[in-house]
Amino acid sequence: MDEALLRSLTPSVLGILVRRGADFAAAEDAVQDALVEAVRVWPADPPRDAKGWLVTAAWRKFLDATRADTARRRREDRVDEEPPPGPASSADDTLQLYFLCAHPSLSASSAVALTLRAVGGLTTRQIAAAYLVPEATMAQRISRAKRTVSGVRLDQPGDVATVLRVLYLVFNEGYSGDVDLAAEAIRLTRQLAAAIDHPEVAGLLALMLLHHARRASRTAPDGSLVPLADQDRGRWDRELIAEGVVILQSALARDRLGEFQAQAAIAALHADAPAAEETDWVQIVEWYDELLRLTDSPVVRLNRAVAVGEADGPRAGLAALAALDDSLPRHTAVAAYLHERDGDLTRAARLYTEAAHQAPNLAERDYLTRQAARLNTRRDG
């Protein structure tokens, strides 16, 4: 296999696909898939025209991906924006595809990345952001996963834990990102809960429902973000909240605590508070301690610092925050909030400005910019 030849042909093949009408990102994925196929096929059956073979293979990969994406979007369009409570609709093949992509030959992280890209419809950039790694690193991880499964039979489904992780990330991207996939994630998790008696499946479904119940209040009419404390709780979907709480209570009663049940318990405490100032922050800190015991996640530690700041005062929150790496996403925004709570408006305004420059999306950047402007106005007034 002449890898130098493949590398030299890649830019030309990519350019041909773009000229044929493929957008650049899709063309990159298609050429990458074609290169994987070439590595597998060429040693036994080298083509006479290497460039022509790659162009043909890449164009077919592009068409296949386009058809798959169109089919996925049609499935999403059939789902109501607000998923109703009750049993799941009849199953389609999507959930089975999630299990097949979570192949035993892949590590859990690679299986999740591959499934999110191939079935979930997320871009490499979105997946990289979810995993807190550079986009180039995630692109390499997905490419390795594709190479790993290119020569194996997809007849050994992956485990439930990996599929749950994929569904969770798809829901989070649909809930807060550029692509609306939250309803599809809930639909598939309902199907999984109906098929498998597993407390963590129930915990994930409860978590999704409790978060989705607040969706209508998360943005103002102009599209700007509304933080949890300022949301109109009268707009929360109490039916979804009630369903989520019942599902969570049933899961917790089995005494097999997992991270999704713990996260759902935190979401339930927020949903149960009639007003922000009545939130049971002490119990939320206790649930974050349980979640840390299960995951030891830096993101959980960051969220716990906020909860500690609410339960024990901003200086306690800042002390908890000081133990964390300040390069952690949203670390600066949390520091700004806690310093504002502590009365240091000058430092808080500066940190809000820094956090705005680091924000992962436009809505969050605009919100943090407004927070900095608000404090600067108060300080100068």
Side-chain angles (χ1 to χ4, degrees):
M1 169 60 62
D2 191 342
E3 294 185 5
L5 174 62
L6 288 176
R7 286 195 297 270
S8 67
L9 291 175
T10 297
S12 176
V13 174
L14 181 60
I16 291 172
L17 263 64
V18 171
R19 288 195 294 274
R20 286 187 178 183
D23 68 80
F24 188 81
E28 277 190 314
D29 285 344
V31 171
Q32 198 171 68
D33 289 344
L35 292 174
V36 171
E37 185 72 7
V39 170
R40 187 178 68 84
V41 171
W42 284 12
D45 185 19
R48 293 182 179 179
D49 179 3
K51 181 177 178 180
W53 189 99
L54 282 174
V55 169
T56 300
W59 185 248
R60 286 175 180 166
K61 298 287 186 184
F62 167 73
L63 292 178
D64 288 345
T66 301
R67 293 188 189 104
D69 185 61
T70 300
R72 177 183 60 77
R73 292 183 183 277
R74 285 175 182 162
R75 289 196 300 272
E76 291 170 14
D77 290 341
R78 290 197 297 265
V79 180
D80 292 335
E81 183 177 348
E82 297 298 331
S89 59
S90 58
D92 57 25
D93 63 349
T94 308
L95 191 57
Q96 182 64 18
L97 289 174
Y98 273 66
F99 273 95
L100 291 177
C101 283
H103 196 271
S105 63
L106 297 172
S107 67
S109 60
S110 294
V112 170
L114 177 62
T115 313
L116 289 171
R117 185 71 186 94
V119 187
L122 273 63
T123 65
T124 303
R125 176 183 58 80
Q126 290 168 325
I127 302 168
Y131 270 88
L132 311 180
V133 300
E135 184 174 352
T137 300
M138 183 54 65
Q140 293 173 356
R141 184 179 300 177
I142 294 172
S143 296
R144 287 195 297 269
K146 289 178 180 178
R147 286 196 295 271
T148 299
V149 300
S150 64
V152 301
R153 291 175 57 86
L154 291 178
D155 56 0
Q156 301 178 57
D159 68 337
V160 173
T162 301
V163 174
L164 288 180
R165 179 64 51 190
V166 176
L167 290 168
Y168 174 66
L169 291 173
V170 170
F171 176 80
N172 278 346
E173 189 59 45
Y175 189 65
S176 62
D178 304 325
V179 182
D180 185 2
L181 295 171
E184 174 72 352
I186 291 174
R187 184 181 72 86
L188 293 174
T189 307
R190 285 192 186 280
Q191 287 185 5
L192 189 57
I196 300 176
D197 183 18
H198 192 299
E200 271 295 81
V201 176
L204 178 58
L205 178 57
L207 175 64
M208 289 179 174
L209 295 176
L210 290 163
H211 279 307
H212 206 68
R214 303 199 305 258
R215 183 169 187 171
S217 64
R218 292 185 69 248
T219 54
D222 63 0
S224 59
L225 287 180
V226 180
L228 177 60
D230 297 333
Q231 288 175 15
D232 179 359
R233 297 180 182 227
R235 299 183 66 195
W236 290 2
D237 188 328
R238 291 294 164 185
E239 194 173 2
L240 281 184
I241 290 173
E243 184 189 8
V245 168
V246 168
I247 292 171
L248 173 63
Q249 288 174 337
S250 177
L252 291 175
R254 301 179 64 176
D255 199 24
R256 290 169 54 195
L257 184 63
E259 62 173 299
F260 294 124
Q261 295 169 72
Q263 287 191 56
I266 293 169
L269 286 167
H270 283 297
D272 187 54
E277 57 270 17
E278 297 180 60
T279 304
D280 189 346
W281 286 106
V282 172
Q283 194 173 166
I284 286 175
V285 171
E286 292 173 355
W287 275 110
Y288 272 123
D289 289 339
E290 290 288 345
L291 194 52
L292 275 177
R293 182 178 60 80
L294 293 165
T295 68
D296 195 28
S297 161
V299 175
V300 173
R301 291 186 181 277
L302 184 68
N303 292 333
R304 181 184 178 277
V306 176
V308 168
E310 299 289 352
D312 301 326
R315 294 194 178 181
L318 287 167
L321 187 66
L324 304 180
D325 186 346
D326 60 9
S327 66
L328 190 66
R330 295 187 173 89
H331 182 286
T332 308
V334 169
Y337 173 74
L338 291 172
H339 278 292
E340 180 186 356
R341 289 274 323 279
D342 196 38
D344 189 346
L345 303 189
T346 300
R347 188 171 186 180
R350 176 176 57 79
L351 288 170
Y352 275 128
T353 300
E354 290 179 15
H357 290 301
Q358 302 165 3
N361 56 64
L362 181 61
E364 193 168 331
R365 186 187 71 188
D366 289 346
Y367 169 76
L368 293 167
T369 300
R370 286 196 302 273
Q371 294 298 93
R374 174 179 59 81
L375 293 188
N376 284 327
T377 301
R378 282 180 57 187
R379 186 189 61 196
D380 298 337

